[in-house]
Amino acid sequence: MHVPMIELRDLSRHYGKRGAAVEGLSLRIETGEFLVLAGHSGSGKTTTLSMINRLVEPSRGAVLIDGVDTREIDAVALRRRIGFVFQDIGLFPHLSVAENAGIVLRLKGMRPREIMIRVDELLALVRLPPEVFRDALPAALSGGQRQRVGVARALAANPRIMLMDEPFGAVDPLTRDELAFDYRQIHERLGLTTILVTHDMTEALLLADRLALMREGRLVQVGTPRELLSAPADDFVRAMVEHPRRRAYALAAMQAGDSP
């Protein structure tokens, strides 16, 4: 029987009187897949992501990785196997770029020389030349550079799975596009399985192998970007995918010299 890399089974998270943040979510993510969880703010995307590495425990249902229920795995050990990139990356301001990128390796007891070699590899991978950035402090970096350090840190322990929560949302649009497409290349190069959360439908459609669209804690439609664009499941999905399409049409009309 085929076992996916990640399987969410009837996953739910309730918060007392606030009700369900996520309700009855079932989803399979294959090895090497780039899955985007998209939807409006408050749709349950981040809660779903956080249940995968047990930052949030499900009220019902299960998360399986390689067929193993994550509740059977020590939570700290689980998180060290999974890369996690946040919008607010939380670099330690008093530590250098190299020290921030290698902090997980130090916690794992790796030797200093091995850490230095690995960190230099990671900085080169995220397009931060080590000889320039190794000793810099976070305050000297741009927002995009700090986010690249965050990606390097998440990749340090050679995870097979990367979870990304609005990772490019705090930078300007040009830097955001550059970071997103650079990470997509890293995903391919390293053979990662990535789940990325975003509310930006243009980003979702351009990056995803498959897109899982959420509304009020539930999955509305799962499919390739082409499938959602050509056959939206309902008016909500249609409105979500039409927004970036309208913007593309308007830009094309402006370029042609017509009114949008």
Side-chain angles (χ1 to χ4, degrees):
M1 180 180 176
H2 172 68
V3 176
M5 171 67 79
I6 304 168
E7 184 175 3
L8 314 181
R9 290 184 180 173
D10 193 31
L11 203 60
S12 299
R13 174 65 190 189
H14 301 155
Y15 288 102
K17 292 181 180 179
R18 290 167 51 195
V22 176
E23 187 65 64
L25 190 152
S26 294
L27 185 63
R28 294 161 66 96
I29 300 99
E30 300 296 337
T31 301
E33 186 170 19
F34 197 120
L35 181 104
V36 174
L37 276 175
H40 295 314
S41 297
S43 61
K45 307 182 302 295
T46 294
T47 300
T48 299
L49 200 72
S50 298
M51 286 191 282
I52 293 172
N53 71 349
R54 296 186 59 192
L55 284 174
V56 172
E57 296 289 355
S59 301
R60 188 182 73 243
V63 176
L64 282 70
I65 294 179
D66 287 330
V68 177
D69 191 322
T70 55
R71 290 171 295 192
E72 300 174 11
I73 306 170
D74 175 76
V76 174
L78 175 71
R79 289 175 201 135
R80 288 183 180 174
R81 290 169 44 189
I82 298 174
F84 206 132
V85 182
F86 307 83
Q87 180 173 324
D88 179 10
I89 53 177
L91 298 181
F92 294 102
H94 60 290
L95 298 182
S96 69
V97 163
E99 289 168 331
N100 269 287
I103 194 164
V104 174
L105 303 178
R106 290 201 301 278
L107 291 172
K108 292 183 70 173
M110 187 179 285
R111 295 176 180 176
R113 174 67 180 169
E114 294 172 334
I115 293 175
M116 185 179 72
I117 293 170
R118 175 63 176 154
V119 165
D120 280 1
E121 292 173 350
L122 291 163
L123 293 180
L125 181 67
V126 299
R127 298 211 294 156
L128 294 175
E131 63 277 10
V132 176
F133 290 96
R134 186 189 299 120
D135 298 322
L137 291 174
L141 306 181
S142 69
Q145 290 167 345
R146 287 194 294 271
Q147 202 65 3
R148 289 179 187 276
V149 177
V151 172
R153 180 178 62 188
L155 291 168
N158 289 309
R160 296 164 62 208
I161 296 169
M162 286 283 282
L163 307 179
M164 310 187 81
D165 189 4
E166 299 278 5
F168 315 124
V171 295
D172 64 87
L174 189 61
T175 302
R176 179 178 185 141
D177 286 350
E178 184 180 72
L179 286 169
F181 285 104
D182 280 355
Y183 177 76
R184 177 74 215 211
Q185 291 183 326
I186 291 170
H187 165 90
E188 299 288 348
R189 178 175 171 181
L190 300 183
L192 300 167
T193 301
T194 296
I195 304 177
L196 181 142
V197 160
T198 184
H199 64 270
D200 185 319
M201 283 301 297
T202 303
E203 182 174 79
L205 290 164
L206 291 174
L207 289 178
D209 293 327
R210 280 193 309 150
L211 202 161
L213 196 55
M214 295 186 68
R215 178 179 57 190
E216 296 178 354
R218 296 181 181 273
L219 277 180
V220 182
Q221 187 172 359
V222 181
T224 66
R226 184 181 296 273
E227 287 168 344
L228 267 67
L229 284 164
S230 62
D234 60 17
D235 289 342
F236 170 75
V237 179
R238 184 174 294 106
M240 291 290 285
V241 299
E242 279 298 323
H243 178 66
R245 183 147 52 188
R246 283 196 304 271
R247 293 172 69 186
Y249 288 158
L251 287 170
M254 290 172 65
Q255 188 174 26
D258 302 327
S259 58

